[in-house]
Amino acid sequence: NERTYIMIKPDGVQRGLIGKIITRFEERGFKLIALKLVTATEAHLEKHYADLAGKPFFPGLIKYMASGPVIATVWEGLDAVKTGRVMLGATNPLASPIGSIRGDYALAVGRNIIHGSDSVENAEKEIALWFPEGTAQYTSVAEPWIYE
Ligand code: GTP
Ligand code: MG
């Protein structure tokens, strides 16, 4: 079953959006298999965003992401990576449709409240980086009502 790494960024935590965001993934039918609140170090975030090192906004991005606790989560389900990205919206909240998380709750690209893995390969890398202890395994009673 496909897994994706979804992280509520420090602005999402500060703005009190944790419950609303988690609810969206639960209601869609995804299964929560890991969750923690953690203030990441800059070194850890530089690994997470290694692909973006060299971008002009990289130092600001690392400072922003290290400025307070984030909610790190892993969700499992059908096409979790691609569907998660659709639920997030576009990188720029102003280009995100109403109904997407960024389209409903954010305005600025540098304060876009949530991260989602962009490929299955990166999802597995990010899950290993944020949850070296591993994720949970359990059967949800709702599964036969979510999948045929
Ligand atoms: P993530 O889910 O956070 O990885 O966002 P993304 O995949 O939609 O975009 P990308 O990986 O290209 O960029 C990572 C993060 O860097 C974005 O979510 C933004 O917070 C930030 N970012 C990207 N482009 C810009 C930019 O042009 N200016 C600023 N200030 N921040 C940017
Ligand atoms: Mg990205």
Side-chain angles (χ1 to χ4, degrees):
N1 235 343
E2 194 167 294
R3 310 192 296 173
T4 191
Y5 177 67
I6 300 288
M7 170 167 55
I8 305 173
K9 298 181 177 182
D11 47 338
V13 173
Q14 293 290 343
R15 291 178 53 199
L17 297 171
I18 298 167
K20 280 186 169 134
I21 291 170
I22 286 177
T23 294
R24 287 184 183 226
F25 284 87
E26 284 184 309
E27 288 183 342
R28 186 70 190 259
F30 289 112
K31 182 162 75 179
L32 183 65
I33 56 168
L35 177 148
K36 65 184 168 193
L37 181 138
V38 54
T39 304
T41 64
E42 294 196 5
H44 185 84
L45 291 160
E46 281 164 9
K47 282 185 205 160
H48 173 80
Y49 280 127
D51 294 352
L52 299 174
K55 298 272 186 193
F57 58 83
F58 186 74
L61 173 63
I62 299 301
K63 290 258 178 306
Y64 152 55
M65 290 297 300
S67 67
V70 301
I71 296 286
T73 66
V74 182
W75 296 86
E76 185 183 288
L78 190 63
D79 229 347
V81 171
K82 201 175 79 193
T83 309
R85 295 281 290 188
V86 172
M87 289 170 69
L88 261 59
T91 304
N92 181 353
L94 292 185
S96 302
I98 299 302
S100 68
I101 293 166
R102 288 168 176 161
D104 286 351
Y105 298 128
L107 290 169
V109 68
R111 294 290 184 271
N112 61 5
I113 75 166
I114 188 163
H115 161 82
S117 307
D118 61 7
S119 70
V120 173
E121 191 192 342
N122 284 337
E124 289 303 320
K125 276 192 213 163
E126 291 168 3
I127 292 166
L129 178 66
W130 290 88
F131 292 98
E133 66 273 33
T135 60
Q137 234 186 331
Y138 64 97
T139 304
S140 149
V141 292
E143 265 161 48
W145 303 102
I146 295 167
Y147 301 105
E148 61 177 325

